[in-house]
Amino acid sequence: MSRLSQLFLLLSLSFSALFAEGVVWRSWDAGMKEAKASHKIIMIDAVRTGCHYCDEMEEAVFKDEAMAAYIAKRFVPVKVNLSQEKMPLDLDVSMTPSFFFISKEGELLKTVPGSWNQEDFRSFLDGVK
C-alpha cells in the first residue's frame, strides 16, 4: 500500500470516528464564539427532557454519521434543553423540538418547529443561507 493510500485510509477512519457518535453539540456561549471565528450559521436545537420527538430525532437523525458530518460542515450545532436552561436571545419556543438558525451576529435567520426524518431535515437545511 502506498503512503498516499495509507494516509487516505487513516484520514477516512479518523473522519468516521469523529462523527461515529453523531452531532457534537455545543453550549450557546461556545457556539457563538465558534460561529464568529468560523463564519458559520448557528443551528439551535431546542429540546425538553422527556420529549419523545426530541429523543426520536436524536436517534434517527443526529446520530447518523453522514448527517453529523453535513451539519458540522455548514453549521455550529447548539443544543438548548429548556428543562435546564433558558433560550438565548429571548427566542420564543412554541414546541419541541424547534430549530433556530442564527447568524454569527446573533440575528435570527429562520425558525423551523417540529420533528423531522433525515430526508426532510436535510432538505430544509439545504435552504438555510
Side-chain angles (χ1 to χ4, degrees):
M1 185 180 281
S2 73
R3 287 199 184 272
L4 186 57
S5 296
Q6 290 174 340
L7 179 61
F8 180 73
L9 179 61
L10 181 62
L11 287 173
S12 296
L13 292 173
S14 298
F15 185 75
S16 292
L18 181 62
F19 298 108
E21 295 299 317
V23 173
V24 178
W25 299 102
R26 284 93 165 145
S27 67
W28 169 250
D29 291 335
M32 183 54 93
K33 287 177 186 173
E34 185 177 334
K36 287 180 181 179
S38 68
H39 305 286
K40 291 181 185 177
I41 294 171
I42 298 169
M43 179 186 84
I44 299 175
D45 179 12
V47 300
R48 288 191 192 283
T49 301
C51 168
H52 167 75
Y53 298 106
C54 302
D55 295 341
E56 192 175 88
M57 268 201 83
E58 187 66 37
E59 289 298 317
V61 178
F62 298 129
K63 287 197 175 179
D64 179 79
E65 289 179 38
M67 180 63 77
Y70 175 78
I71 289 170
K73 181 179 177 183
R74 297 200 53 222
F75 302 98
V76 176
V78 169
K79 188 172 294 274
V80 176
N81 185 329
L82 300 172
S83 299
Q84 302 168 358
E85 56 192 310
K86 293 182 187 224
M87 279 297 286
L89 308 175
D90 292 324
L91 294 168
D92 185 38
V93 180
S94 59
M95 64 183 298
T96 57
S98 284
F99 301 90
F100 299 84
F101 297 88
I102 312 292
S103 72
K104 64 183 170 99
E105 293 82 19
E107 176 187 338
L108 178 62
L109 303 172
K110 185 173 189 162
T111 302
V112 180
S115 180
W116 304 86
N117 63 36
Q118 278 193 41
E119 183 180 330
D120 291 342
F121 193 70
R122 172 78 182 254
S123 179
F124 83 69
L125 288 180
D126 287 340
V128 176
K129 303 271 187 258

